Amino acid sequence: MTAPAPHRPPEGLTHQGLVYGSDEEFLAATVPFCREGLARGEAVLAVTTGTNIGLLRRALDDVSGQVEYADAQDWYQRPGATLGAYHRWVDRRTAGGAHRRVRVIGEPVWHGRDALETAEWTRYESAVNVAFADCPAWIICPYDTRVLPPAVVADAHRTHPELATDGAAVASDHYADPADADSVWSRPLAPVGAEGEDAVLSFGADLTDVRTFVADTATALGLAPHRTPTLVFAVNEVATNAVQHGGGAGRLVLRRCGPRIVADVVSTGPSHAAWYLGYLPPDPRQPRGHGMWAVRHLCDLLEVHTDDGATTVRLHVGLD
């Protein structure tokens, strides 16, 4: 028997995973979720597959026009950019008291992802718990067992504090808090399959050489001209952090790995970076601290790990 849904506070995040294996199970959870939200005057957004959008439109019938819809293929392209898009949507809907709370159906895209992308999108799902912790949002993330690998479905139990079904909810026994000091999400960086020799540069406070090195090396490795400024900016921001918050110097490693350019910026010093660095939106009133948020938006993938007094920020940018 499913336990009753816990009380929903007027503020703060509710983040639930919805594991379903049929259209009926999907609708049994999402239709009441949408209808109740609309009845309470909450903004409702459904980001899911084209098929599920069609199912929702028909099932919601008279109130379907009050729900906003977005195709998941368009929405879930880069983890940092996706999280930023959700934040902007929440801010717009709650600005000026237009809506006190929002509800989101957010179904990530897993098809066509390689192992690294799957791992990072899984960590994105975990990062939602810290990035939206204070947002007046109720988010349900559907996982379709008919098409998803069992490992992806199993991870839904680790990335969501609760599991939703038929309008009720239970706590997930396997939830892994992203903010725990020994979080399972803070894992060592995997070796990369580089093509050719690594290009290495040590740097100090003057980052002129860093920018030139990145532009010249990435171009030689096949990075498209329109992508080069993105990588130069991103590496410069991370290197700036390394100088300011690390030991005043750093090491840059650049290489081509299949369809991506991968850059490691390594710094030493007392600073310890959380694995979700750059996922928390900075306060627009603060004069500094916006760089990693921007880097997350620009890069296809970004990994962070601190070990033995050294922090490595790994940036992935697609060749095209």
Side-chain angles (χ1 to χ4, degrees), residues 48-194:
T48 182
T49 66
T51 298
N52 283 346
I53 288 174
L55 289 172
L56 270 175
R57 286 186 185 276
R58 289 190 293 273
L60 289 172
D61 191 20
D62 56 313
V63 296
S64 176
Q66 300 176 46
V67 175
E68 297 180 62
Y69 300 94
D71 192 297
Q73 289 287 349
D74 298 328
W75 196 277
Y76 288 89
Q77 295 191 8
R78 302 189 307 279
T82 297
L83 188 139
Y86 274 126
H87 263 288
R88 290 190 297 274
W89 185 84
V90 172
D91 288 344
R92 288 195 300 268
R93 297 302 174 270
T94 58
H99 299 277
R100 187 180 179 189
R101 191 167 172 82
V102 301
R103 297 192 183 206
V104 175
I105 299 168
E107 185 159 15
V109 174
W110 301 100
H111 179 72
R113 309 288 194 199
D114 61 25
L116 174 62
E117 291 168 329
T118 298
E120 286 309 300
W121 277 106
T122 300
R123 294 213 289 185
Y124 158 89
E125 281 281 78
S126 178
V128 166
N129 295 294
V130 289
F132 284 90
D134 297 324
C135 288
W138 187 349
I139 304 173
I140 287 182
C141 302
Y143 286 72
D144 190 346
T145 60
R146 295 170 295 184
V147 297
L148 294 179
V152 169
V153 176
D155 278 335
H157 295 251
R158 298 199 298 163
T159 55
H160 297 80
E162 295 178 359
L163 302 176
T165 176
D166 297 334
V170 292
S172 174
D173 292 336
H174 301 288
Y175 175 61
D177 190 333
D180 281 350
D182 298 322
S183 171
V184 298
W185 310 115
S186 181
R187 60 177 181 272
L189 301 178
V192 296

